[in-house]
Structure formats: structure tokens, C-alpha cells
Amino acid sequence: MLNQLRLDHANMARMLHVLQLKQKKLEKGERPNFQLMREVVDYILAYMEDFTAPLERVFVERLKAKAPDQVSQVEDMLSDYRRLKPRLERLSADIDTVLMDMVLPMDRFAEDLKQYLAAHRSYLRQERENLFPLVEKHFDEDDIAALRQALPEGAEKELGRLQQAYPELYAKLKGADVPVV
């Protein structure tokens, strides 16, 4: 389970890197692939809703029993993570605006994207430096099993579905040529 969380962490970092490349294009005054950005944002939003939220509850419950002195710090971290979602939803709405050929100030959008990326990367750093060590130090096999149980039924199948739903993103992450549609 911890390996899966680390893999998810690495995949999220890759997603953020894709967005950062698009954000850099915006800063240069170039037009990035907004459809790919749409796929990344949709994927992250789906991941937040379907996978992260169920894990949070069980994680905090188990941590209260194992290391109650760490709960406040973790709850603060998780609160920071939850604040990412409305920011990402706003970026999603802005991408929709662009994809519908409506006017949107690109400098504001680029800055909002830059700020979101910085905040999400900060959370990933906290996760790596604080959350994972807590799991390693305090959680036993039963705790890990409880985390695994917290995932929605068919989580692996859902990840496969997301992969199929976002082929351009998948191709980009794998370094493959993206077919032109």
C-alpha cells in the first residue's frame, strides 16, 4: 500500500510537470495545448474525489490511535490539500472558457496556474517528508489493510478507466507520440 501511495505521489508529480510545461508556454506568450490541460485537470480532480478523500478519513482515524500528537499536523496538511480542489476547479472553468473560444486574460490564468502548481508541489513535499514517514513508523499491517479497504471498490479498474479516458495524457506521461485526432 505504501508503495502504491508513493507511485501515486510520483504520478501526481508527473501530472504537475505536464501542467508546468503548459504554464511556461503561457508565460512565453505561446498557446499551449488546452485539451491536454483539460485532461490533466480532469484526471487530478477525479483522483482527489475518488481516491484521496476516502483515504484521508481512515488515515486520520488510525493516526489518532497510533500517534495522537501527530494528528493536528496531519489535519493541517490535509486541509491544505482540500484547499487545492477549489483552485483547480477554477482553473478547470477557465480552461472551459478558453476551449469555448471565449476571452480570458491569459496573464491571470498563467499566474493562477503557477500558484496552484506551487501549492500542490508544496503539499507533495509535505506528503513525502511528513506523511510517508508517519505511515512507516506507526502503521502496522492492519492499518495498511484498513487504508487499502478505504479505497473504492474496483479502484484499480477505475484507474484503468481514467487511463483510457485520457489517452493524450497517458501518451504524454509515457513519452509516446500523441496521435493527432
Side-chain angles (χ1 to χ4, degrees):
M1 180 68 189
L2 189 55
N3 286 340
Q4 182 60 48
L5 291 174
R6 284 194 169 112
L7 179 61
D8 290 350
H9 176 94
N11 287 336
M12 188 59 66
R14 287 183 190 103
M15 301 280 181
L16 298 178
H17 180 71
V18 169
L19 286 177
Q20 181 183 18
L21 293 174
K22 304 309 172 200
Q23 189 269 334
K24 295 288 184 196
K25 277 190 154 200
L26 283 167
E27 281 185 344
K28 293 178 185 175
E30 299 172 14
R31 184 175 173 91
N33 181 338
F34 281 99
Q35 188 58 45
L36 179 60
M37 292 176 75
R38 154 66 46 231
E39 289 188 11
V40 173
V41 168
D42 285 350
Y43 184 92
I44 295 171
L45 285 169
Y47 184 85
M48 287 176 152
E49 186 69 30
D50 297 336
F51 298 98
T52 306
L55 287 175
E56 284 181 11
R57 181 185 50 78
V58 173
F59 183 83
V60 171
E61 282 175 11
R62 294 289 174 146
L63 192 61
K64 284 178 181 175
K66 302 284 183 162
D69 58 316
Q70 300 295 316
V71 171
S72 176
Q73 174 191 3
V74 168
E75 285 179 335
D76 288 347
M77 276 180 51
L78 295 175
S79 179
D80 289 346
Y81 184 74
R82 280 186 226 104
R83 282 194 292 274
L84 291 173
K85 189 174 180 184
R87 294 171 84 173
L88 192 57
E89 288 171 335
R90 186 174 63 243
L91 288 170
S92 177
D94 288 347
I95 291 169
D96 286 344
T97 299
V98 171
L99 290 173
M100 291 186 288
D101 291 326
M102 296 171 65
V103 177
L104 179 77
M106 282 298 131
D107 55 341
R108 180 189 58 84
F109 177 74
E111 185 58 30
D112 288 350
L113 180 57
K114 184 178 183 177
Q115 295 301 319
Y116 165 77
L117 290 169
H120 202 143
R121 281 203 170 102
S122 175
Y123 172 79
L124 288 180
R125 188 174 37 261
Q126 290 178 48
E127 190 177 72
R128 185 180 61 249
E129 294 172 359
N130 301 317
L131 212 61
F132 291 164
L134 285 174
V135 171
E136 289 175 332
K137 183 176 181 179
H138 297 290
F139 283 30
D140 59 25
E141 288 181 27
D142 290 340
D143 299 314
I144 298 297
L147 286 173
R148 195 173 290 115
Q149 289 276 33
L151 287 174
E153 206 169 295
E156 289 177 20
K157 187 163 54 169
E158 178 64 11
L159 284 174
R161 185 198 67 75
L162 290 174
Q163 177 181 317
Q164 287 181 342
Y166 305 110
E168 190 172 356
L169 173 59
Y170 182 73
K172 186 79 169 170
L173 292 174
K174 292 297 183 186
D177 290 331
V178 178
V180 178
V181 179

